[in-house]
Amino acid sequence: MFGFKKGSVFILVGLYVLTIPFFNALNVTTYDNSQILGHFGASTTVFAYSSYIPAFAMLAFLPLGMKIGKQIKVRTMILSVSFLAILFNTASLYATNIFWFTFWRSLVAMISVIGIFATMIPIVLKYNPAFNMAIMYGIIQFILQGSQHLYKYFGAHFTSIYDWTFSIYFLNVNFLIGIILAWIFYKKDVAPMKGKFQFDWRGWLILIFFFTVILFICAEGQTRNWFSDPMINIAFASLLILIGIYLLHVRFTKEPLIDPDVFKYKNVVIGSFLFFYIGLMNGTGSVVTGFMSGVLGFDGLYQARTHLALLIGICIAIPLSTYLLYKRIYMATIWITGFACYGFFHIILFFRFYPGIAPVDFLLPFVFKGLAIGFLYPISALYIAEGIPTNLGDSRMMSGVISRVVIATLLGGAILGTYISNINVQHKTGLSQQLSPVNQQAQKKLSNIKNYYLHQGASEVEAQKMAEKSLSNQTSQASILLAYKDIYLVMSAVCFLPIFILLLFRLARRPIGKVELEPIPF
């Protein structure tokens, strides 16, 4: 179909498999947090920092990692980063405290950026002329999203079979396979994208400070109760100052890290907002995780199975959306389908937040979420790159990364946690006020629980205290369920809103235009 030579498909599959360990350097340890926290005995605040720092280290190193990736020979680069990943991973096993564990995990995250770019270069250069860009983006997103959920699923099982160290060993085996594949598929050791090395060091330093401030806000915001704390106010003010400094820096820099000229293109502005919007819709998955573990008492193994449900949706939607993009279907059709799937995910779960829900009830909504990811991610990545000149490619990519990952997912997730806590307190206060002598039903239930404990041999005082505690626990469970329902009702409206806008104003009634930039899918 695409004029491939014999064995070319085998090589293509091998090249894509080689990218998987670098995409998932942090995903395999997703379910190890409680064991790692117990192992090092760190406080929850310190552990919050240790969870955020590797992700921010990867994002901050992204611009430099891509520049370095263009200068080094491909096979040498893949072999080197794979070996270093094994070395840093192994070092994290012998870390004596949470600081060194975070340090080594951050290094793994940083060099994985180079690994991703190194493994993507041959695919882009070798197969880009043969592939339509929609197919390229579709395959990359399929590999990225599919492997992500498989790694999280396997990581949870490895953690339960052995302990948190098993996930590290598993990742080492993956990088070792990467070394073997690099020897097989990279016969020539060349740097096909090498050029004069120019890098905006001053802009990069400003970006690092910007990410550091957001890291502080994410880790400390909830414990400091956000804007009631002066340090959080100072942090947000610092962000505005740093943005001003960067805009001033851009005026005196020939090739800035993020060129503001990229925002002259309408699709970059709208695309960045779409990335932010999709990040918000996708971020409510943590609410379901909290419901499963905190309210229903599900173990990590069952929670991990939800990734398989997501994978089902992804395996259906990404090939279908890729085919539709290849056939030049209207963008509005794909966007409406994706937003509708996110809306169904939220509205179905809104009706399923109740005690005693069966595990199978989570299958359908998570399939819808997988469908939403499959429809929205490839088209959004294509749309934000549509018609952008090569010299603004990195700026386009960084705008999408900051919008979806930094602001929506990381910062938005931290704000969402606080919002849920506040709503929970309001509902609990309202429900507790109903536990008064006037409420005969509550008094009857209290009396029944008290009589139960009296029959168990407790004294009058002990039975009264235990009955009140039991009723209070039931009130707490009811309040958190109401808080979750509030969030998901609002989010279902947020998901369906773009559909009405697209239909009302007859927007995006055209296929994707010309895309020439390399599809680096961060």
Side-chain angles (χ1 to χ4, degrees), residues 109-308:
M110 289 165 63
I111 64 170
S112 68
V113 172
I114 302 177
I116 291 170
F117 192 70
T119 53
M120 289 302 305
I121 288 175
I123 299 173
V124 172
L125 295 181
K126 185 176 178 64
Y127 295 101
N128 192 23
F131 274 138
N132 174 281
M133 256 308 182
I135 296 176
M136 283 286 298
Y137 271 60
I139 293 174
I140 292 168
Q141 285 293 334
F142 186 79
I143 294 290
L144 173 61
Q145 299 296 335
S147 63
Q148 174 189 147
H149 294 292
L150 280 177
Y151 266 63
K152 289 178 179 180
Y153 174 75
F154 288 131
H157 280 268
F158 295 148
T159 301
S160 66
I161 292 171
Y162 190 61
D163 59 22
W164 65 275
T165 60
F166 204 102
S167 295
I168 305 296
Y169 294 131
F170 174 72
L171 200 55
N172 278 351
V173 171
N174 276 254
F175 285 120
L176 183 61
I177 294 173
I179 291 175
I180 297 171
L181 289 176
W183 279 108
I184 294 174
F185 292 111
Y186 294 95
K187 302 301 182 184
K188 295 181 180 180
D189 195 13
V190 294
M193 301 184 75
K194 185 176 181 180
K196 184 179 179 181
F197 185 85
Q198 290 182 330
F199 188 67
D200 180 14
W201 294 101
R202 186 170 55 192
W204 188 50
L205 184 63
I206 297 171
L207 181 70
I208 290 173
F209 280 123
F210 184 81
F211 282 170
T212 302
V213 174
I214 295 182
L215 167 64
F216 169 79
I217 294 171
C218 290
E220 300 274 358
Q222 189 161 350
T223 56
R224 291 176 178 266
N225 201 19
W226 296 96
F227 289 106
S228 62
D229 184 85
M231 290 300 294
I232 299 298
N233 290 326
I234 292 173
F236 274 105
S238 300
L239 291 178
L240 298 177
I241 293 172
L242 286 169
I243 292 172
I245 292 173
Y246 184 80
L247 292 176
L248 183 65
H249 150 78
V250 166
R251 295 178 63 88
F252 302 98
T253 306
K254 186 177 180 181
E255 296 183 10
L257 201 67
I258 303 175
D259 193 335
D261 286 344
V262 77
F263 296 107
K264 293 179 180 178
Y265 294 85
K266 183 177 67 173
N267 59 298
V268 174
V269 177
I270 299 174
S272 298
F273 177 75
L274 280 172
F275 271 122
F276 169 76
Y277 208 83
I278 294 169
L280 284 182
M281 292 187 293
N282 198 52
T284 54
S286 60
V287 176
V288 187
T289 304
F291 178 52
M292 289 180 179
S293 58
V295 178
L296 301 178
F298 290 169
D299 59 17
L301 283 179
Y302 179 75
Q303 294 178 47
R305 293 189 190 107
T306 59
H307 292 291
L308 296 182

Side-chain angles (χ1 to χ4, degrees), residues 61-133:
F61 189 71
L62 177 57
L64 181 59
M66 289 184 63
K67 288 289 185 182
I68 293 174
K70 293 181 180 180
Q71 303 299 312
I72 305 174
K73 295 179 179 179
V74 173
R75 187 174 67 174
T76 298
M77 187 161 46
I78 295 174
L79 293 174
S80 299
V81 296
S82 297
F83 174 77
L84 288 173
I86 293 173
L87 182 67
F88 296 152
N89 244 339
T90 305
S92 68
L93 293 173
Y94 299 97
T96 55
N97 54 51
I98 195 70
F99 169 80
W100 283 110
F101 177 80
T102 306
F103 174 78
W104 295 117
R105 295 296 293 152
S106 299
L107 288 180
V108 172
M110 289 165 63
I111 64 170
S112 68
V113 172
I114 302 177
I116 291 170
F117 192 70
T119 53
M120 289 302 305
I121 288 175
I123 299 173
V124 172
L125 295 181
K126 185 176 178 64
Y127 295 101
N128 192 23
F131 274 138
N132 174 281
M133 256 308 182

Side-chain angles (χ1 to χ4, degrees), residues 224-521:
R224 291 176 178 266
N225 201 19
W226 296 96
F227 289 106
S228 62
D229 184 85
M231 290 300 294
I232 299 298
N233 290 326
I234 292 173
F236 274 105
S238 300
L239 291 178
L240 298 177
I241 293 172
L242 286 169
I243 292 172
I245 292 173
Y246 184 80
L247 292 176
L248 183 65
H249 150 78
V250 166
R251 295 178 63 88
F252 302 98
T253 306
K254 186 177 180 181
E255 296 183 10
L257 201 67
I258 303 175
D259 193 335
D261 286 344
V262 77
F263 296 107
K264 293 179 180 178
Y265 294 85
K266 183 177 67 173
N267 59 298
V268 174
V269 177
I270 299 174
S272 298
F273 177 75
L274 280 172
F275 271 122
F276 169 76
Y277 208 83
I278 294 169
L280 284 182
M281 292 187 293
N282 198 52
T284 54
S286 60
V287 176
V288 187
T289 304
F291 178 52
M292 289 180 179
S293 58
V295 178
L296 301 178
F298 290 169
D299 59 17
L301 283 179
Y302 179 75
Q303 294 178 47
R305 293 189 190 107
T306 59
H307 292 291
L308 296 182
L310 281 163
L311 189 60
I312 292 172
I314 287 170
C315 289
I316 296 171
I318 289 185
L320 179 56
S321 64
T322 300
Y323 176 77
L324 294 174
L325 287 166
Y326 176 68
K327 289 296 184 179
R328 301 187 60 77
I329 198 75
Y330 282 177
M331 291 187 293
T333 303
I334 300 175
W335 270 328
I336 288 171
T337 306
F339 286 125
C341 289
Y342 262 128
F344 287 131
F345 163 71
H346 287 94
I347 200 67
I348 291 172
L349 277 175
F350 167 78
F351 290 107
R352 294 188 176 178
F353 282 127
Y354 55 84
I357 182 174
V360 71
D361 291 333
F362 288 99
L363 178 63
L364 180 61
F366 272 100
V367 170
F368 270 112
K369 185 177 180 180
L371 290 170
I373 291 171
F375 281 113
L376 290 179
Y377 278 41
I379 189 174
S380 299
L382 279 165
Y383 177 72
I384 199 173
E386 185 185 42
I388 305 301
T390 305
N391 64 309
L392 294 176
D394 291 351
S395 299
R396 171 269 314 177
M397 185 193 66
M398 287 304 299
S399 66
V401 167
I402 292 174
S403 298
R404 186 172 72 86
V405 181
V406 178
I407 299 178
T409 302
L410 296 174
L411 183 58
I415 294 172
L416 179 64
T418 304
Y419 186 59
I420 292 173
S421 298
N422 293 339
I423 295 177
N424 181 36
V425 170
Q426 293 174 8
H427 283 304
K428 189 173 181 179
T429 302
L431 291 173
S432 298
Q433 290 174 350
Q434 298 180 29
L435 302 179
S436 63
V438 179
N439 191 334
Q440 296 182 0
Q441 187 176 357
Q443 289 302 310
K444 183 179 179 180
K445 193 167 190 176
L446 181 67
S447 178
N448 291 338
I449 298 173
K450 179 180 177 181
N451 290 334
Y452 169 79
Y453 285 118
L454 287 172
H455 286 303
Q456 295 297 317
S459 65
E460 182 77 19
V461 176
E462 291 174 340
Q464 180 69 24
K465 287 182 179 180
M466 287 189 285
E468 290 174 353
K469 184 178 180 180
S470 175
L471 205 58
S472 176
N473 289 338
Q474 293 179 35
T475 303
S476 297
Q477 187 185 68
S479 64
I480 193 66
L481 286 175
L482 289 172
Y484 288 162
K485 288 175 78 69
D486 288 348
I487 293 294
Y488 269 67
L489 182 62
V490 171
M491 287 306 300
S492 62
V494 168
C495 296
F496 285 114
L497 178 63
I499 298 176
F500 295 115
I501 294 175
L502 288 168
L503 292 174
L504 183 63
F505 294 99
R506 303 172 64 86
L507 301 175
R509 297 196 172 189
R510 64 173 181 83
I512 282 286
K514 193 174 183 180
V515 176
E516 296 180 341
L517 298 177
E518 61 273 9
I520 307 302

